[in-house]
Amino acid sequence: MVKVLYRYILQEILGPFLLILSVFLFVLLMGRMLKIVEMIVRQGVSALEVLQLLFYLIPSFLPLAIPMATLIAGVISFSRLSADMEITAMKASGISLYQMLPPVVAFSGVMSLVTLYFTLHGAPWGAYAFRELGLQLARKHVSVALKEGVFNEIVPGLILYAERIRLEDGFMEGIFIHDHYSSQLPVEILAAKGRILSGGEGAGSSSLALMLEKGTIYQTSVKERKMRKTEFESYEVVMELPDPSSGGKLKGQRPEELTFSQIISSIENRLAKGKKPSRNLLMEVHKRLAIPAGCFIFGILALPLSMQSNPRGRSHGFLVGMGAILTYYLMFSAGRTMAETGSLPPWLGLWAPNLIFGAATLGLLKRSAKERPLGWLVKLNSMVDKGGRLLARRFGSGS
């Protein structure tokens, strides 16, 4: 009997979880779709390269999507069971709330471990691979990396600025170039206008060729204490870049791109030298552990949260779940900001939402077991139900 109950509850949660996880991933990826479409249409990036970028993005999104899907799926599933009077039937059969809890705990634990894997290994790998591929694409399709009104560092030592860039044909106005990469002496070039060439005489596939008009070249020699100035009406400049097919690696990794073991090693090295660990690294450690713990709390919270009132449909569970998620991530963002500014220790800033939500989950579990729902949640549920019925009548009468 118990095994049947556990299997039934797990099946009820698993289906909505997979669907909601897919929806959340799609929504998160849609935030990058405009840039991706622009890369395909205007910069000639291949579909395979775009798929690679999306593939590298997914591990970074999963630590955010899995906890949200865990909570929403649980709340929706138990809201449906409550609406269909199945929860009432279980209680009438002598099954208490705590007897329904083990499959929820097991599912939440598994999702928490999966999230932990992605925060420790998957997300750092994806973030680094995404930035590395982005750099290779920037070298291969230069216009991908260029933004108007921004000092674009194409590679270390080569900076290009343009007040206006027309992506359709590579036309630029108000150009400034600093080149200490392909030239032994620093070179600064100012030009009124110019355009990106598909290639120039002697330009290889790993070169940046520009046709500039009405400008000045400044070349400075520190040793000789001299500066050479050359004015031009038309000038083609070809700057050699690293070959994108050579598989060059990035020179450095950001904290979010480091594996957990690398972060711990860096902290231990600083402690061994008598230095304080970097605040950014400490925050990264606590963030990677706090998010999976939050996923576990979300999974447990779904059960009592869905029983605080008498929901009449899935929309109630979805709204309550989204409200809880929004509250959690607002608290998490505020705690992280306070930790960054030094107002709170990193551990407290990043773990405070889990401590608060964990205490709230235990309190809701006890109240739900005693069938004492929170009054404000009952009122909220009633308002949602009334609003839903009014909308249903209005649209129903309109049809």
Side-chain angles (χ1 to χ4, degrees):
M1 176 67 180
V2 175
K3 291 183 179 179
V4 174
L5 174 65
Y6 291 173
R7 186 164 55 247
Y8 179 68
I9 292 176
L10 286 174
Q11 289 175 349
E12 284 292 316
I13 297 175
L14 185 58
F17 171 80
L18 295 176
L19 176 61
I20 294 167
L21 179 62
S22 302
V23 171
F24 277 138
L25 280 178
F26 177 76
V27 171
L28 291 171
L29 289 173
M30 280 295 293
R32 304 291 184 98
M33 286 305 294
L34 290 178
K35 179 62 178 177
I36 290 172
V37 169
E38 179 183 296
M39 291 168 64
I40 295 174
V41 174
R42 294 184 176 181
Q43 280 82 32
V45 177
S46 69
L48 180 59
E49 291 168 333
V50 169
L51 289 176
Q52 281 184 279
L53 288 173
L54 292 176
F55 178 75
Y56 293 145
L57 277 176
I58 290 175
S60 300
F61 287 152
L62 282 174
L64 178 64
I66 292 176
M68 293 193 298
T70 300
L71 175 59
I72 296 296
V75 173
I76 287 179
S77 300
F78 286 108
S79 294
R80 190 203 66 78
L81 292 175
S82 179
D84 292 346
M85 305 302 290
E86 294 186 42
I87 297 293
T88 303
M90 291 179 190
K91 291 180 178 179
S93 302
I95 299 174
S96 68
L97 176 69
Y98 296 116
Q99 288 176 297
M100 304 177 198
L101 200 56
V104 178
V105 172
F107 181 78
S108 303
V110 171
M111 291 302 104
S112 179
L113 290 176
V114 173
T115 305
L116 181 64
Y117 170 79
F118 280 103
T119 58
L120 298 186
H121 303 288
W125 169 83
Y128 183 74
F130 179 84
R131 192 160 69 94
E132 187 177 45
L133 179 58
L135 179 61
Q136 293 178 6
L137 290 177
R139 293 168 179 169
K140 184 178 179 182
H141 311 277
V142 178
S143 55
V144 171
L146 298 183
K147 296 180 181 179
E148 62 182 17
V150 174
F151 288 92
N152 301 275
E153 187 177 27
I154 301 172
V155 293
L158 178 58
I159 298 173
L160 189 148
Y161 173 89
E163 292 182 358
R164 192 167 73 90
I165 300 176
R166 195 163 60 204
L167 296 176
E168 290 80 0
D169 55 5
F171 176 80
M172 299 183 294
E173 289 181 342
I175 303 168
F176 167 78
I177 298 173
H178 169 80
D179 184 10
H180 199 188
Y181 177 81
S182 58
S183 175
Q184 293 182 352
L185 296 177
V187 175
E188 281 77 33
I189 303 175
L190 296 174
K193 57 184 178 179
R195 60 188 176 89
I196 301 173
L197 302 176
S198 58
E201 186 176 349
S205 60
S206 58
S207 300
L208 173 60
L210 304 174
M211 177 59 72
L212 306 178
E213 298 180 21
K214 298 180 181 179
T216 307
I217 303 173
Y218 298 92
Q219 191 168 26
T220 306
S221 175
V222 178
K223 292 182 179 180
E224 298 178 0
R225 296 183 179 181
K226 294 181 179 180
M227 183 183 71
R228 181 181 299 172
K229 176 182 176 182
T230 306
E231 297 183 353
F232 61 86
E233 287 294 322
S234 178
Y235 178 66
E236 181 178 348
V237 55
V238 180
M239 293 169 285
E240 295 295 329
L241 303 179
D243 190 346
S245 63
S246 63
K249 299 293 182 181
L250 295 172
K251 292 183 177 181
Q253 287 178 285
R254 298 167 181 171
E256 64 271 17
E257 297 170 349
L258 296 172
T259 63
F260 194 72
S261 59
Q262 288 175 323
I263 295 176
I264 297 300
S265 297
S266 179
I267 292 174
E268 290 176 347
N269 289 337
R270 292 185 66 87
L271 290 174
K273 295 177 182 179
K275 299 179 180 179
K276 289 185 178 180
S278 167
R279 178 173 289 270
N280 288 337
L281 292 181
L282 289 175
M283 289 180 58
E284 193 67 25
V285 168
H286 289 294
K287 184 183 76 171
R288 296 190 188 189
L289 297 177
I291 290 176
C295 179
F296 182 76
I297 294 172
F298 275 3
I300 307 299
L301 177 63
L303 178 57
L305 194 63
S306 62
M307 296 183 179
Q308 291 304 298
S309 50
N310 297 313
R312 299 180 182 276
R314 298 193 182 191
S315 61
H316 170 85
F318 181 80
L319 291 175
V320 170
M322 289 304 298
I325 288 171
L326 180 61
T327 303
Y328 177 88
Y329 282 108
L330 285 175
M331 293 172 60
F332 191 86
S333 178
R336 183 172 58 185
T337 301
M338 295 178 72
E340 288 175 348
T341 57
S343 303
L344 289 177
W347 71 268
L348 182 58
L350 293 168
W351 283 92
N354 286 344
L355 297 175
I356 295 172
F357 267 69
T361 300
L362 292 176
L364 287 176
L365 273 173
K366 291 181 180 180
R367 294 183 69 96
S368 298
K370 297 177 182 179
E371 298 188 358
R372 293 170 52 197
L374 291 174
W376 66 271
L377 270 180
V378 174
K379 293 179 181 179
L380 176 63
N381 174 70
S382 177
M383 292 172 59
V384 172
D385 285 341
K386 289 179 181 178
R389 288 196 295 270
L390 286 174
L391 288 175
R393 283 200 212 103
R394 179 170 296 182
F395 285 105
S397 61
S399 59

